[in-house]
Amino acid sequence: MYRLTIELVAWVGVLIDERLSKTKPSAVKHLDEASTSIALNIAEGNGKRSVVDRARFLDIARGSALESAACLDVLAARKRLEPFELTPGKDMLIRIVSMLTKLIEKLLSSS
């Protein structure tokens, strides 16, 4: 899951540098920050000893993944990106959200 998140961060970086470098909407900044937040919160959560704390950070990462998806939708709605350009990122985000959701449920059911 963490590796996939790093892959997403790299994809977002290329998208911003190559496709959105001249775009100023706040959605670009939020996309950059939210996608980075996914990785940072997974890492921080994995460092927690408490199951509840770990689940909390993973839940924050999940929220950041959903925010990243919303940013992509906003950029498409504003015609800054074509829908087909979103597919790789959306596919990664769907997988990340699914994995985080299952892991959070597993952690909380075992505590």
Side-chain angles (χ1 to χ4, degrees), residues 75-100:
L75 289 164
R78 291 183 178 169
K79 308 290 187 217
R80 306 288 192 219
L81 294 172
E82 295 296 325
F84 74 88
E85 294 176 286
L86 308 179
T87 302
K90 287 286 200 119
D91 288 348
M92 284 185 271
L93 286 165
I94 289 167
R95 289 177 55 208
I96 291 165
V97 169
S98 176
M99 287 187 277
L100 285 166

Side-chain angles (χ1 to χ4, degrees), residues 9-20:
V9 170
W11 179 83
V12 166
V14 170
L15 183 69
I16 290 171
D17 291 345
E18 293 181 0
R19 201 54 191 86
L20 300 170

Side-chain angles (χ1 to χ4, degrees), residues 15-39:
L15 183 69
I16 290 171
D17 291 345
E18 293 181 0
R19 201 54 191 86
L20 300 170
S21 62
K22 296 188 184 344
T23 304
K24 294 185 182 179
S26 64
V28 174
K29 180 181 178 197
H30 285 297
L31 175 61
D32 187 30
E33 292 171 351
S35 62
T36 301
S37 177
I38 302 166

Side-chain angles (χ1 to χ4, degrees), residues 54-89:
R54 184 173 185 208
R56 184 170 57 87
F57 278 95
L58 295 177
D59 194 45
I60 293 167
R62 184 179 175 277
S64 293
L66 295 170
E67 182 180 358
S68 296
C71 290
L72 291 173
D73 290 338
V74 167
L75 289 164
R78 291 183 178 169
K79 308 290 187 217
R80 306 288 192 219
L81 294 172
E82 295 296 325
F84 74 88
E85 294 176 286
L86 308 179
T87 302

Side-chain angles (χ1 to χ4, degrees), residues 37-48 50-64 100 104 107:
S37 177
I38 302 166
L40 297 178
N41 279 290
I42 289 171
E44 189 165 357
N46 283 330
K48 298 298 179 184
S50 159
V51 171
V52 173
D53 283 344
R54 184 173 185 208
R56 184 170 57 87
F57 278 95
L58 295 177
D59 194 45
I60 293 167
R62 184 179 175 277
S64 293
L100 285 166
I104 292 164
L107 286 169

